[in-house]
Amino acid sequence: MSTTQEIAAQIREAAKRLLSEGKVDCVIGFAQGTVPMRDYPYFAYTPEEAENLTWSRFCCNNLSNFLIRRPKGEKDKVAIVAQGCVSRNIVGLIKENQITRDQVYILGVASPGMVDRNKVQALFPLKTITEVIEDGDDLIVKGMGFEERVPTKTVLRQNCYTCVMRNPVIKDEMIGEESALTHGGNIDKVAAPWEKLGPEERWAAFQEEFKDCIRCYACRDACPLCYCHVCFVDEARPQWCGKTQEEADVATFHILRAFHCAGRCTDCGACESACPVGIKMRKLTSKIEKDIRELYGYTPGMDLKSTPPLSVYKPNDPQEFIK
Amino acid sequence: MADKILAKDKLGEFLGKLKKDRQVFGPQNVEGKAQWAPLEADETLLWEFANTHLSPKDFFFPQTECMMRFVNQASDEQGMIMQAEPELPQPRALVNIRPCDAKAMQVLDLIFVQDQMTNDFYWRDKREKTLLVGLACNDPCPTCFCTSMNCGPHSTTGLDALMVDLGDKLLLTTLTDKAQALAEGLPDASKADLAKAAELKKAAEKSIASNVGMDKVNARELMELYELPMWNRVHESCLNCGTCTYCCPTCHCFDIQDEVQGTIGRRVRNWDNCMSWLFTVHGTGHNPRGTKKDRVRQRFMHKFKYIPMKRGGEIGCVGCGRCVLLCPVNIDVRRLVNDMNA
Amino acid sequence: MFARRRFAVLKNLLEYVGIEPGRLHFSWISSAEATKFQETVLAVTEAVKALGPAKHMIKDIRKVA
């Protein structure tokens, strides 16, 4: 299995080739961040710029977010580095007519599982981390006054543990080898954690999780599914959702956003990675994904043919709750 | 202005004196992060930390603030009269605030309290009633660049008093009248103490690795900076969320709304951010900053050009580095301003 | 018919965050079924009243800051 550095080199080669042959106008990938554990979305327009492309276990953004509403020019075709969940989002965007298949050239990569920087930081509370390097199966975490070795598999993002598709479901070119499909975690064991609680405890758990929300909308803006020209929170006439930090307003935003992603969310974790205050909103969205799977047998983004579950109905859909 | 020594075993007494007349807040370990919270047990006050996760501007400019209330019914006795919200009931003290954050509050003073017409009561009341006791940074972190922003790890701007950790004791320097009472009963600092503090200051300033050039940004004409080709690339990865704005100690934009339920109503002010497309939408539907490029450019032009131009050279940034750490797509203000300065 | 799926997901979601089951009700009623409409409204009103005042998702601008 190639290391991420080897994959990075292959991505650079492929990007340089595609750009110099004029096959694409831009390659969307990642470049190395200026802070630890945060590689960032990078747009390479020339083979020289393609030298900056990288790949690592710190690539936590969902690049398909940047495919939407690109200026439509005659020649505008982009290449994008996409692992499993990201490629499923690309499928979703094509199905929802936000992009066309021939607009994207997909450089598929098997996901190694991305690191959750909050988990790493939590191992060193209040300390400043200055550098994190991948070293085999470990991370070397350096900081002000310390250096430690941490096994990478203990600090992955939650959604990566229960990944159902590490390999790209759609691609034009494969970078590196395909890997085992999943990381081995069973999503049904951890999805919807509040189901075990009674109604009062559920509300308390919900409030506890979202109490730090500062309404920055980083979760919404990092999400490839959220591309409405006017988001429901930005509507003023009528105003569906208050802009304050109060309980009911914060709850309304998160409940409705989760609902709008029903049947479309691929559990890529970009929302949790973007959140500046570390809210685990997947505790909410995982309930919807579980319902969609159990009630309608659908997993979003696996292929271009299947119809989104909330756009169809079957005569025998469950309806015992309707009187 | 007095230089005193506060022995570490006398901290309890010192904080107790503060707590007598003021509600005291300090950075504490909240779920693994340094965050501002009311100080109950003195032992929970943090002394070894880089900076708080979010800035303390919330103390003076709450994210959600009710400005006034009203009854929306002409027939009611209280109807159609705006009732102001009460003033801050009790004075406060923020202990161990970092110099960059204190300076930021002073920068915001220039915005919120300008002249007779622009005199934000809500801001002013809280500022006047809050004592800022700072803690100098002896170990600035790699993302700090305060020295490039007219500030520094031992800066006294905006503070009522500054403490420097000399190792076995604290050097307490009172800077304003409000803080004079803090010096009472404390022994004077010796020449050796002051020398040690000066040494720590020099070492801290030297250790700041990030350098952000502002000379050309200051010298260039506004339109020259505005038309730089770099803006075409910078905005590409920006998500247009509000993370940078909300964690920044000098960002100050807000949105005022009236919320009405039946016949009662309130006027509420919430933080707003210029990264949102909605920020500049006119009633007609026209949006002067309709593209991401316009908005991203605006943020940096405002902080590093417009504010210095309009506020006598004061920069709209104090180099705290929070946006660098929290931006989901790692848009690094240090790199960006250096590009503006290239 | 399409709404049925959305109702199912929404009901589960709201109950998942702690809105009491019994606050949210669904029923298929055609405009020609006036009696059923009346009966349903009465039944729902009774059921919700029995739960008492809503404690969640309430924004009372008198109470909050």
Side-chain angles (χ1 to χ4, degrees):
Chain A
M1 189 68 202
S2 320
T3 62
T4 52
Q5 289 91 331
E6 288 165 358
I7 301 280
Q10 290 178 51
I11 290 176
R12 284 190 285 273
E13 280 317 302
K16 281 189 239 171
R17 177 186 10 107
L18 290 168
L19 288 165
S20 52
E21 287 174 9
K23 285 229 171 71
V24 297
D25 302 299
C26 174
V27 178
I28 306 177
F30 285 95
Q32 188 172 26
T34 58
V35 293
M37 301 181 283
R38 214 195 280 267
D39 289 344
Y40 67 96
Y42 184 74
F43 299 74
Y45 289 89
T46 63
E48 294 76 43
E49 286 179 2
E51 258 315 300
N52 294 321
L53 290 168
T54 188
W55 181 250
S56 70
R57 302 187 86 153
F58 311 125
C59 296
C60 295
N61 302 97
N62 189 324
L63 294 179
S64 60
N65 195 14
F66 300 99
L67 289 176
I68 308 155
R69 284 199 288 275
R70 286 194 63 76
K72 281 192 169 59
E74 248 179 73
K75 289 201 301 185
D76 188 62
K77 181 165 171 156
V78 298
I80 180 172
V81 176
Q83 69 265 43
C85 50
V86 176
S87 66
R88 287 167 60 198
N89 281 117
I90 298 178
V91 166
L93 290 175
I94 294 171
K95 280 210 276 220
E96 291 175 6
N97 294 318
Q98 293 305 307
I99 53 173
T100 56
R101 176 65 184 93
D102 51 3
Q103 260 181 298
V104 278
Y105 186 95
I106 302 166
L107 292 167
V109 192
S111 177
M114 299 301 169
V115 167
D116 182 341
R117 85 188 73 81
N118 293 320
K119 280 192 188 171
V120 177
Q121 181 69 71
L123 294 173
F124 310 98
L126 302 181
K127 295 222 170 91
T128 305
I129 296 176
T130 53
E131 198 182 357
V132 180
I133 313 169
E134 287 183 68
D135 184 33
D137 290 329
D138 294 333
L139 295 175
I140 301 178
V141 183
K142 296 187 194 170
M144 289 172 66
F146 68 94
E147 182 172 322
E148 298 280 330
R149 198 167 256 280
V150 177
T152 316
K153 65 175 198 277
T154 59
V155 288
L156 294 181
R157 297 192 301 185
Q158 282 305 113
N159 59 294
C160 291
Y161 288 122
T162 51
C163 175
V164 300
M165 178 54 72
R166 293 169 65 191
N167 298 318
V169 299
I170 178 179
K171 60 184 180 289
D172 289 290
E173 195 179 314
M174 186 71 192
I175 306 279
E177 309 94 49
E178 297 209 339
S179 77
L181 273 185
T182 72
H183 268 284
N186 183 350
I187 181 92
D188 284 320
K189 287 220 176 87
V190 293
W194 303 329
E195 274 182 338
K196 309 185 196 79
L197 307 171
E200 274 314 305
E201 298 168 303
R202 286 180 181 187
W203 182 257
F206 175 51
Q207 286 308 310
E208 179 63 28
E209 189 58 51
F210 288 89
K211 69 175 173 357
D212 292 328
C213 179
I214 55 173
R215 305 293 296 273
C216 67
Y217 302 129
C219 51
R220 174 194 75 175
D221 295 323
C223 178
L225 305 174
C226 286
Y227 52 75
C228 289
H229 284 275
V230 181
C231 176
F232 76 92
V233 292
D234 293 334
E235 292 281 9
R237 279 166 162 217
Q239 186 172 43
W240 303 116
C241 184
K243 292 179 190 280
T244 72
Q245 251 193 318
E246 287 144 14
E247 228 178 59
D249 289 333
V250 172
T252 307
F253 165 60
H254 285 286
I255 291 175
L256 277 184
R257 191 179 98 77
F259 186 67
H260 287 172
C261 299
R264 309 158 66 217
C265 171
T266 59
D267 210 23
C268 74
C271 50
E272 284 190 355
S273 297
C275 179
V277 293
I279 292 176
K280 302 263 165 278
M281 56 285 279
R282 284 180 56 257
K283 287 187 185 169
L284 191 60
T285 57
S286 59
K287 165 64 177 167
I288 301 183
E289 297 342 294
K290 183 160 173 279
D291 277 352
I292 297 283
R293 260 180 300 121
E294 289 178 353
L295 294 173
Y296 311 119
Y298 184 81
T299 304
M302 289 307 209
D303 63 86
L304 280 168
K305 292 283 185 322
S306 55
T307 334
L310 294 185
S311 302
V312 291
Y313 70 92
K314 290 219 166 67
N316 58 345
D317 280 334
Q319 62 160 46
E320 74 294 331
F321 62 96
I322 304 182
K323 319 262 185 318
Chain B
M1 207 85 163
D3 292 307
K4 301 286 185 183
I5 289 297
L6 177 57
K8 286 192 173 170
D9 56 5
K10 291 265 188 276
L11 263 175
E13 220 176 279
F14 178 74
L15 293 170
K17 230 170 45 178
L18 269 178
K19 282 181 181 175
K20 252 198 343 209
D21 326 290
R22 293 176 182 271
Q23 200 189 7
V24 179
F25 295 83
Q28 286 155 71
N29 184 341
V30 178
E31 291 165 3
K33 292 199 274 253
Q35 305 200 62
W36 285 98
L39 188 66
E40 257 120 65
D42 295 342
E43 308 81 62
T44 61
L45 181 61
L46 289 179
W47 295 89
E48 307 270 331
F49 67 103
N51 207 344
T52 54
H53 190 64
L54 295 176
S55 77
K57 74 179 173 186
D58 200 61
F59 283 107
F60 311 101
F61 174 43
Q63 180 156 11
T64 297
E65 179 168 29
C66 178
M67 302 173 87
M68 53 190 83
R69 296 179 190 271
F70 50 88
V71 174
N72 204 19
Q73 199 168 43
S75 55
D76 188 300
E77 190 176 87
Q78 289 300 308
M80 316 310 270
I81 302 172
M82 297 294 228
Q83 284 186 321
E85 280 294 270
E87 292 178 14
L88 195 67
Q90 199 198 8
R92 303 178 302 195
L94 300 186
V95 181
N96 287 3
I97 182 174
R98 291 297 190 189
C100 51
D101 286 337
K103 167 145 207 256
M105 297 306 113
Q106 205 172 64
V107 172
L108 288 179
D109 283 339
L110 297 176
I111 314 274
F112 281 107
V113 185
Q114 294 178 30
D115 48 43
Q116 206 175 30
M117 283 291 288
T118 309
N119 197 338
D120 191 309
F121 161 78
Y122 306 92
W123 170 268
R124 217 186 58 235
D125 176 54
K126 299 182 184 70
R127 280 286 277 149
E128 283 167 0
K129 292 183 175 152
T130 310
L131 188 74
L132 299 181
V133 182
L135 178 65
C137 297
N138 287 338
D139 290 305
C141 46
T143 43
C144 298
F145 55 103
C146 51
T147 46
S148 305
M149 296 288 127
N150 293 344
C151 189
H154 284 232
S155 157
T156 53
T157 316
L159 285 168
D160 293 299
L162 176 68
M163 292 191 287
V164 181
D165 193 339
L166 300 176
D168 51 344
K169 52 195 162 168
L170 298 161
L171 169 69
L172 172 73
T173 307
T174 53
L175 302 157
T176 62
D177 295 331
K178 233 154 103 179
Q180 280 322 312
L182 296 176
E184 276 165 27
L186 294 177
D188 286 330
S190 68
K191 277 217 171 69
D193 294 326
L194 294 174
K196 174 100 195 271
E199 220 179 87
L200 287 167
K201 177 174 173 191
K202 226 165 95 184
E205 286 171 356
K206 202 153 154 240
S207 76
I208 292 187
S210 306
N211 279 310
V212 178
M214 282 288 288
D215 52 305
K216 296 206 190 67
V217 174
N218 290 330
R220 281 179 172 148
E221 288 296 316
L222 191 157
M223 285 314 290
E224 193 191 328
L225 286 171
Y226 192 78
E227 305 283 4
L228 285 175
M230 60 174 273
W231 301 119
N232 292 319
R233 298 300 301 276
V234 168
H235 70 89
E236 279 179 316
S237 55
C238 177
L239 300 180
N240 267 187
C241 66
T243 300
C244 52
T245 315
Y246 293 170
C247 69
C248 173
T250 52
C251 276
H252 52 269
C253 288
F254 53 85
D255 175 63
I256 298 180
Q257 282 194 322
D258 284 348
E259 292 180 339
V260 180
Q261 283 180 342
T263 54
I264 50 157
R266 63 171 186 169
R267 179 158 294 173
V268 67
R269 164 162 86 179
N270 292 305
W271 286 356
D272 204 352
N273 72 85
C274 62
M275 304 275 80
S276 147
W277 70 276
L278 185 62
F279 192 71
T280 46
V281 171
H282 293 180
T284 57
H286 170 62
N287 192 346
R289 289 190 220 134
T291 68
K292 231 169 35 152
K293 171 183 162 181
D294 292 327
R295 293 191 288 271
V296 175
R297 172 174 55 189
Q298 153 66 17
R299 176 178 171 74
F300 296 100
M301 287 294 289
H302 188 208
K303 291 175 100 57
F304 297 96
K305 191 64 183 164
Y306 308 154
I307 290 184
M309 281 171 71
K310 298 184 78 169
R311 309 278 160 227
E314 202 65 78
I315 310 175
C317 171
V318 291
C320 73
R322 289 184 176 95
C323 60
V324 177
L325 285 171
L326 295 178
C327 174
V329 292
N330 189 219
I331 291 185
D332 194 322
V333 65
R334 302 168 294 179
R335 196 156 54 172
L336 213 148
V337 179
N338 276 331
D339 284 345
M340 282 168 79
N341 203 52
Chain C
M1 268 311 168
F2 295 91
R4 181 166 60 182
R5 288 196 172 193
R6 288 165 203 254
F7 288 160
V9 175
L10 182 64
K11 178 181 199 295
N12 286 349
L13 179 62
L14 289 177
E15 284 177 11
Y16 176 67
V17 296
I19 309 287
E20 305 95 307
R23 290 223 184 258
L24 189 61
H25 296 257
F26 296 93
S27 184
W28 297 120
I29 311 178
S30 134
S31 49
E33 297 179 283
T35 323
K36 183 173 179 197
F37 179 71
Q38 186 213 21
E39 287 168 1
T40 311
V41 168
L42 288 172
V44 171
T45 315
E46 281 309 304
V48 174
K49 268 202 184 140
L51 287 168
K55 282 169 273 161
H56 309 315
M57 295 298 283
I58 295 294
K59 176 169 161 169
D60 184 343
I61 59 178
R62 283 169 307 188
K63 295 212 185 103
V64 294

